[in-house]
Amino acid sequence: MENKLECLICGSTLSPKEKNEYCSKCLLGLSFELEEKDLEKIEKNLKAILDSFGSDIRAAFTKDPAARSLVEVLTAYPGIQAVLLYRVAHFFYEIGLPFVPRYLSYIARQITGIEIHPGAKIGKDFFIDHGSGTVIGETTEIGDNVTIYQGVTLGGTSLSPGKRHPTLGNNVVVGAGAKILGPVKIGDNVKIGANSVVISDVPPNSVVVGVPGRIVSREGKKIPTIDLHHQDLPDPIIDMMESLQRKIEELEEEIKNLKQKR
C-alpha cells in the first residue's frame, strides 16, 4: 500500500503531481477560510472604512488651502488615493484574506508613489500632502488628525516579526523627508521638522529637529490641534552659536572695563 504524503502546513493529502512537502495552496499562500464568528468583526471594519473615507477627504480640505473641489481631491491628490486604497487593503488584511491586501498596496504604490503596508493601523483625519516617496511600515500605528509630507519614512529597525515600526499619537505633523525609525513612541501634539531623523521616544507637545532628532520645547505652549507651519521650527545649533556669541561679547565687555580701571 502506497503511503500518502501530507502537507506539512495544513495536513491535506498531496496529489501525485505535488512532489514537494507542501500543497499548492500553501505554496501560493492563498488558503483562506472565513468563520461565522468573524462576521461581527467584518461589519465593524466596514463601518470604520466608511467613517474614515469621509474624515480623510475632509482632512484634505481642512489642511490644504489648494483643495478646490471633491472631484479634484479624489482624482488629483495621490495622498488621498493612497489612503483610500489602504483602507480597503487593511480591511482585507484584518479578515485574513491572502495576497489581495499586499497587491492593493502595490497598486497604490505604482499609482501614487506612496507605500502603506496594509497591516499598519491609521486613525481618522489622516492626510498625506504631496506624498511621493512616503513609506509606512507594517506595525506602524498612527493616531487621529496626523499630517505627513512627502518623503517621510516610518520604518523598522529589526528583523524580528514583532512591533518594529513607530507609534504616532494624535495631532502630529511630520515634515518632508523626515525619518522615524524603530518602535519609538511619538506623543500627542508633536511637530517633527523636515529631514529630521527620529530614533528615540518624543514626549507630547514637543518639536523635534535635526539629525539625530533633538527635542526643542516651545516654552511650555501647547501646539494647536491643526498646525501646518512645519517650516517655522527652531534651530538648536544656531541657538547655541548665538548663545556663545553673546557670552563672548559679555566677556569682551568685562575685559574692556577692567583695562579702563587700570
Side-chain angles (χ1 to χ4, degrees), residues 31-32 89 114 146 158 165 248 254:
S31 57
F32 174 65
I114 299 169
V146 172
S158 171
H165 296 93
I248 291 172
E254 288 183 13

Side-chain angles (χ1 to χ4, degrees), residues 17 22 49 67 75 92 95-96 102 115 150 189 223 261:
K17 294 181 179 180
Y22 309 100
I49 286 178
T75 58
F92 290 130
I95 66 173
R102 291 305 305 269
E115 183 174 343
Q150 68 272 17
N189 310 314
I223 299 172
K261 290 179 181 179

